Amino acid sequence: MIGAAHAETFLHEHVPLTRQMQVRVTGCDPEGVLLAAPLAPNINHVGTVFAGSASALAMLAGWTLIHARLAEWPFETTLVIRRARIDYDHPIDGDYEAWCPSPAADQWDRFGADLRAGRGRLELAVEVRREGRRMARFNGVYVALRNEEGDQPCPD
Amino acid sequence: MIGAAHAETFLHEHVPLTRQMQVRVTGCDPEGVLLAAPLAPNINHVGTVFAGSASALAMLAGWTLIHARLAEWPFETTLVIRRARIDYDHPIDGDYEAWCPSPAADQWDRFGADLRAGRGRLELAVEVRREGRRMARFNGVYVALRNEEGDQPCPD
């Protein structure tokens, strides 16, 4: 799978809001993906992290985990999120992180088999953290589609 | 309730990411709240709206509807989102909007009575739209807390 620096460059180049949010990819390996963002560009009216920024970082952590794996695959895919849910347990009063652990091997295997046949679906759980403490729980359903040959969803 | 211009100024001043997203408040009246944002600052790797930006605009539409109402109230409150869910039905390939219709009068009444007693809870449905077509469905649970006298959650 691609590493943290490569994944961060991809996000900053292709999703410009991640630059505004100052998203950093601080971990990207078979264990999972860890993203980080500072409070300042993501602050809200009460001095804590804007709920939309917390949700976006979690969503990106899940997306990056699958994207990093798919980069190894011998065919082109398009990866999107189909559904998301987030529970905000505590206000986040500083810099924050989103941790998406890799799912079990059998889930990857099923996802891979389905994707080879045209369409894979993977549900991922992400924790939003502040100094190691869980502040919000995110759950996302991601869908990857195998592109037809010659189909170029990402023209740049 | 406060109007669209006032609500937009509030968002841009207190939630800086809304400036980066170029969020505009294009409707804010007793019928509901309509927010708009262009594709360019919210674009993703396949040239459509980043899922995090779609979710954030919907979240802000619901938040703004309650905030605009609470501005009339004779005491200070803190309004947060507790839970959110979004279903992405179609990729959004251009400028987009989030429409949050006002809930029924009896829901406002119950929310108001509970908030006067200390804590009100309101669930809102928001549609994310592209040229009038529904592209995503958002549901948010918002909680307003009545601040104790002298408590200033918003020090600026």
Side-chain angles (χ1 to χ4, degrees):
Chain A
M1 61 193 288
I2 64 173
H6 188 139
E8 183 171 306
T9 299
F10 184 93
L11 290 179
H12 288 184
E13 279 184 4
H14 294 277
V15 187
L17 201 69
T18 63
R19 294 197 300 270
Q20 307 296 347
M21 291 172 60
Q22 298 178 33
V23 173
R24 285 176 302 120
V25 180
T26 51
C28 184
D29 61 39
E31 294 295 303
V33 162
L34 185 66
L35 304 187
L39 174 62
N42 298 294
I43 204 164
N44 69 10
H45 60 296
V46 288
T48 59
V49 171
F50 166 45
S53 288
S55 177
L57 197 73
M59 192 174 288
L60 289 163
W63 191 92
T64 300
L65 179 68
I66 303 178
H67 170 74
R69 283 270 192 133
L70 290 180
E72 287 175 340
W73 287 46
F75 50 81
E76 293 288 314
T77 56
T78 301
L79 173 64
V80 298
I81 187 162
R82 186 56 47 92
R83 186 174 304 125
R85 183 193 158 104
I86 186 164
D87 286 89
Y88 299 97
D89 297 320
H90 307 284
I92 306 170
D93 61 352
D95 302 347
Y96 67 113
E97 295 180 316
W99 164 242
C100 182
S102 188
D106 64 328
Q107 285 180 268
W108 279 120
D109 290 346
R110 194 177 325 124
F111 171 73
D114 290 346
L115 179 52
R116 263 183 290 272
R119 181 182 183 278
R121 180 185 177 282
L122 198 58
E123 185 162 353
L124 296 176
V126 181
E127 280 192 8
V128 181
R129 297 175 175 174
R130 160 84 179 131
E131 294 179 337
R133 182 183 176 208
R134 188 181 74 193
M135 312 304 267
R137 291 161 289 143
F138 174 94
N139 210 280
V141 174
Y142 297 83
V143 170
L145 300 167
R146 182 171 178 165
N147 298 341
E148 298 298 324
E149 222 164 307
D151 182 12
Q152 291 295 334
C154 193
D156 52 357
Chain B
M1 63 194 287
I2 65 173
H6 188 140
E8 183 171 306
T9 299
F10 184 92
L11 290 180
H12 288 184
E13 280 185 4
H14 295 277
V15 187
L17 201 69
T18 63
R19 294 197 300 271
Q20 307 295 347
M21 292 172 59
Q22 298 180 32
V23 173
R24 285 176 302 119
V25 180
T26 52
C28 184
D29 61 38
E31 294 296 303
V33 162
L34 186 66
L35 304 188
L39 174 63
N42 298 294
I43 204 163
N44 67 11
H45 60 297
V46 288
T48 60
V49 171
F50 165 46
S53 287
S55 176
L57 197 72
M59 193 175 286
L60 289 164
W63 192 90
T64 300
L65 180 67
I66 304 178
H67 171 73
R69 282 272 193 133
L70 290 181
E72 287 175 339
W73 287 46
F75 50 83
E76 293 288 315
T77 56
T78 301
L79 172 63
V80 297
I81 188 162
R82 186 55 49 91
R83 187 174 304 126
R85 183 193 158 103
I86 186 163
D87 286 89
Y88 299 97
D89 297 320
H90 308 285
I92 307 169
D93 62 352
D95 302 346
Y96 68 113
E97 294 181 317
W99 165 240
C100 182
S102 187
D106 64 328
Q107 285 179 269
W108 279 119
D109 290 347
R110 196 176 327 123
F111 171 73
D114 290 346
L115 179 52
R116 262 183 289 272
R119 180 182 183 280
R121 179 186 177 284
L122 198 57
E123 186 162 355
L124 296 176
V126 181
E127 279 192 9
V128 180
R129 297 174 174 174
R130 160 84 179 131
E131 293 179 338
R133 181 182 176 210
R134 189 180 74 192
M135 311 304 266
R137 292 162 286 142
F138 174 94
N139 210 282
V141 174
Y142 297 84
V143 170
L145 300 168
R146 180 170 180 166
N147 298 341
E148 299 298 322
E149 222 165 307
D151 182 12
Q152 291 296 332
C154 193
D156 53 358

